Amino acid sequence: MSKVAEYDYDLLVIGAGSGGVRTARMAAATGARVAIVEDRYLGGTCVNVGCVPKKLYAYASHFNSVFDDATGFGWQLPGEASFDWATLRDNKTSEIKRLNGIYLRLLETAGVSLYHGRGRLEGAHTVAISRQQGEEQRVTAQRILLATGGWPWVPTFPGSEYTLTSNQIFDLDRLPERFLVLGGGYIAVEFASIFNGLGSEAHLIYRGDLFLKGFDNEVREFTRQEMDRQGVHLHFDTNIEAIEKNEAGYQVALTNGDTMEVDAVLAATGRRANVAGLGLASVGLSLNEQGKLDVNERFETDVPSILALGDLIDTPELTPVAIAEAMLLVDHHFGTVAPEPLDYTRVPTAVFCHPNIGTVGLSEEAARQQFGTIRVYRTDFRAMKHTLSGSQERTLMKLVVDEATDVVVGAHMVGDDAGEVIQGIAIAVRAGLTKKDFDNTVGIHPTGAEEFVTMRTPAR
């Protein structure tokens, strides 16, 4: 085995996103010599064009309905509320710059060397770093971690060049009055809700019969009803055939024969592994049928000195998952005790549409397939605050229980702050608690969350 002293570093990370930065910091804390290469921005997708700005825009989009709700509680605004897109956009940019600075200080404090440039594999232990000035430097490491994340993918059709991706949508010059999003995943559903809340006429186009494939079917249907109630125009079983630019904006032709004119089109049609120019072929690596890199439990690729995590491998494309994988990777390669593998079956997640979705564990459909006989407890109701606000918005809560063991194997919610609520429920599901444990837990009254411990009669 090669000696560490033969290389410039013990670990070289390509990509300074959440997973890459966490790995670099934690490995450096063990005494390893660590460097990280980044050609774009510190913090990766999540901080710059993903989770963080999206959540800020989601917060902004909720004020419209909050102002309406307030009148039922006696509040009157002195004048008509108005929204300024530039203020939101520029304040978002300032916050991201602040976070970029935090990431830089974290790396500096940890003693991680930072190379500004684009990394390219040139061997099992060598990375060429290209800078904008045309300079190139070669660095060697005992281990190389690929943590370059994902990149938006847009299908090709006439006029597809007029579409925007989630990398661009936060920095538009002005708020589009008529907004169209193509897609049926997290990003599409969230941005349809966000722009609807900010005041745009929002449309969502999806080729399938219902969005959020893979989520619990009742959650998907309930979300459809609530988004429709909020005023989002949903178009299923159709796709974009072509886009033409005109003086009024963009004319969009759909495969069902309809046309519409909009001011902006967001293509939220998926993300793919960001490996362009990474040099995988030079070391004999390639993507699998899922478009990901194969790794073992130690996050090693077919070239053992080259590791990968996050959106590059076939695990949930979530920032907390990449961070958890980073911790495991460091334990495997720089720790003294082999860690327990990460349980990917009980990873909680949220969709920040309006209303929010929070979910952990198995859907009703997946639980039936895995366990055969299950019990489902569910309730939907008008939240207490809406008894005065006048809003007709409803909340859904649902528990899925394995009949044989009484263990709660899935929990789902659609409603205000669903992500905040499900985070706590996720601990119970991860711990394998039973429905009896839920029943024996005293609720906090009056809250919506107490419904998770007061549902007693199975719905089916």
Side-chain angles (χ1 to χ4, degrees):
M1 183 174 180
S2 300
K3 295 181 180 179
V4 173
E6 296 180 8
Y7 306 108
D8 298 321
Y9 296 98
D10 302 320
L11 175 67
L12 178 65
V13 180
I14 303 178
S18 298
V21 169
R22 179 61 64 90
T23 306
R25 289 175 55 218
M26 294 301 100
T30 70
R33 298 170 301 147
V34 182
I36 194 165
V37 183
E38 176 56 57
D39 72 334
R40 193 172 297 270
Y41 31 52
L42 297 180
T45 296
C46 179
V47 167
N48 295 276
V49 291
C51 327
V52 171
K54 175 192 69 181
K55 188 65 180 292
L56 293 175
Y57 280 42
Y59 280 135
S61 71
H62 280 261
F63 281 102
N64 199 346
S65 60
V66 169
F67 292 147
D68 288 339
D69 293 345
T71 59
F73 291 87
W75 286 94
Q76 297 293 329
L77 294 174
E80 184 176 347
S82 62
F83 169 69
D84 183 58
W85 168 263
T87 298
L88 172 62
R89 180 195 62 207
D90 296 346
N91 286 345
K92 173 272 303 178
T93 299
S94 296
E95 171 60 11
I96 288 175
K97 287 181 179 178
R98 184 185 74 85
L99 294 174
N100 293 150
I102 290 175
Y103 270 75
L104 177 60
R105 289 192 293 275
L106 287 172
L107 291 171
E108 290 175 341
T109 301
V112 176
S113 300
L114 174 61
Y115 290 87
H116 293 284
R118 187 165 187 84
R120 184 183 74 257
L121 295 170
E122 284 199 341
H125 299 278
T126 304
V127 171
I129 303 172
S130 303
R131 294 184 173 86
Q132 291 182 348
Q133 299 84 353
E135 303 172 355
E136 192 165 82
Q137 177 181 2
R138 281 164 181 77
V139 179
T140 62
Q142 184 183 28
R143 297 179 182 88
I144 299 168
L145 170 63
L146 308 180
T148 51
W151 198 255
W153 172 78
V154 179
T156 301
F157 53 82
S160 60
E161 67 272 18
Y162 297 124
T163 63
L164 302 166
T165 70
S166 55
N167 286 357
Q168 304 160 302
I169 198 67
F170 298 106
D171 296 305
L172 302 179
D173 291 335
R174 61 183 180 86
L175 176 71
E177 293 183 9
R178 302 163 301 175
F179 177 75
L180 170 63
V181 57
L182 173 66
Y186 281 70
I187 296 173
V189 172
E190 288 171 334
F191 278 106
S193 280
I194 287 171
F195 278 88
N196 177 67
L198 294 178
S200 300
E201 176 189 296
H203 296 262
L204 183 145
I205 304 288
Y206 180 51
R207 63 184 181 180
D209 59 353
L210 190 60
F211 49 36
L212 297 175
K213 184 179 179 181
F215 281 72
D216 182 274
N217 282 342
E218 188 173 20
V219 167
R220 298 167 69 200
E221 182 59 34
F222 192 89
T223 302
R224 182 199 67 77
Q225 294 170 5
E226 290 302 309
M227 286 183 64
D228 184 70
R229 191 199 308 274
Q230 295 287 343
V232 179
H233 302 276
L234 302 172
H235 310 264
F236 295 122
D237 294 314
T238 191
N239 209 335
I240 294 180
E241 188 170 82
I243 301 175
E244 292 184 3
K245 185 175 176 57
N246 58 33
E247 293 182 0
Y250 300 96
Q251 181 168 297
V252 181
L254 304 181
T255 54
N256 65 3
D258 292 342
T259 60
M260 62 175 68
E261 283 200 349
V262 297
D263 301 304
V265 180
L266 169 64
T269 43
R271 297 173 65 83
R272 294 186 174 178
N274 183 22
V275 295
L278 194 53
L280 295 181
S282 69
V283 293
L285 292 177
S286 60
L287 302 180
N288 60 24
E289 292 182 357
Q290 288 72 43
K292 304 288 187 176
L293 284 169
D294 289 321
V295 295
N296 61 18
E297 71 281 356
R298 290 167 53 84
F299 300 96
E300 295 168 342
T301 66
D302 291 338
V303 181
S305 62
I306 299 177
L307 318 175
L309 53 62
D311 292 357
L312 292 184
I313 66 175
D314 195 15
T315 55
E317 295 180 2
L318 300 168
T319 294
V321 169
I323 292 173
E325 290 172 345
M327 303 295 284
L328 289 180
L329 185 152
V330 172
D331 285 342
H332 276 298
H333 294 276
F334 299 97
T336 57
V337 179
E340 294 183 10
L342 185 61
D343 179 6
Y344 292 104
T345 65
R346 291 176 286 188
V347 173
T349 189
V351 184
F352 296 108
C353 50
H354 191 175
N356 292 177
I357 300 171
T359 181
V360 62
L362 299 176
S363 66
E364 178 178 345
E365 295 73 36
R368 288 191 190 282
Q369 184 174 12
Q370 181 170 334
F371 297 106
T373 304
I374 63 172
R375 301 193 308 274
V376 176
Y377 298 81
R378 56 93 64 203
T379 181
D380 74 87
F381 55 91
R382 193 172 170 213
M384 182 179 179
K385 76 173 184 178
H386 293 317
T387 60
L388 294 187
S389 76
S391 171
Q392 298 303 305
E393 181 179 316
R394 297 187 69 80
T395 295
L396 169 71
M397 291 183 177
K398 179 173 182 178
L399 292 174
V400 181
V401 180
D402 173 25
E403 174 67 24
T405 63
D406 197 43
V407 171
V408 176
V409 295
H412 312 276
M413 176 178 173
V414 183
D416 286 346
D417 295 320
E420 306 288 346
V421 174
I422 285 292
Q423 180 64 83
I425 300 296
I427 300 172
V429 174
R430 172 69 180 82
L433 298 188
T434 64
K435 182 60 170 64
K436 184 178 180 181
D437 292 319
F438 277 67
D439 294 343
N440 289 340
T441 301
V442 176
I444 301 172
H445 185 75
T447 65
E450 69 179 313
E451 294 289 333
F452 272 119
V453 298
T454 59
M455 291 184 279
R456 294 290 190 270
T457 305
R460 48 191 174 271

